[in-house]
Amino acid sequence: MPATTAKTIYTANAHLTRQAIEVYDQATDTFVPLTGGVFTVSFATSSSGAGPISGLQALPMAAVAGAPGSYYAVIQAATLAPLATLAGTTVYQIVQGGPYNALRDITPMMVSAERYAQ
């Protein structure tokens, strides 16, 4: 299993989730951007999706204009409020969707207090 470094999510700042989605194309034997997909982002205390965090489930993602296969969601600080009690722990950002809801990407996120300008 590859080692993964957790990204930081700040509870008092908005959070941008952006994901590039590619699928295998047998005809060309390459991976190509998936366009026209429907994706959501959720947060849980387990990478399997167990321990869903209330208020942070199935948030819709939009396609990035001019970037085929890229999807994003801006999650406002008020929506991230349930994470405040989890400061110092790892939660999992789960992007899911595509054909039969079968595509899934999981990113570990270290919960932290707000980040100040430097």
Side-chain angles (χ1 to χ4, degrees):
M1 177 184 290
T4 303
T5 302
K7 294 182 178 184
T8 304
I9 185 167
Y10 299 96
T11 60
N13 298 90
H15 174 69
L16 171 66
T17 296
R18 184 170 170 159
Q19 188 71 49
I21 308 291
E22 293 182 329
V23 293
Y24 180 71
D25 180 13
Q26 269 188 322
T28 61
D29 193 29
T30 61
F31 284 89
V32 296
L34 175 70
T35 57
V38 176
F39 290 87
T40 59
V41 61
S42 300
F43 290 84
T45 56
S46 168
S47 62
S48 68
I53 298 171
S54 179
L56 292 170
Q57 293 299 301
L59 303 172
M61 297 181 78
V64 176
S70 291
Y71 299 85
Y72 78 99
V74 176
I75 305 168
Q76 298 302 322
T79 304
L80 294 174
L83 293 178
T85 60
L86 298 171
T89 65
T90 300
V91 298
Y92 297 87
Q93 173 183 283
I94 303 168
V95 173
Q96 186 168 325
Y100 307 105
N101 213 26
L103 301 175
R104 189 173 213 200
D105 185 76
I106 301 164
T107 305
M109 308 289 287
M110 175 60 71
V111 180
S112 183
E114 65 270 14
R115 176 177 67 185
Y116 299 102
Q118 298 179 354

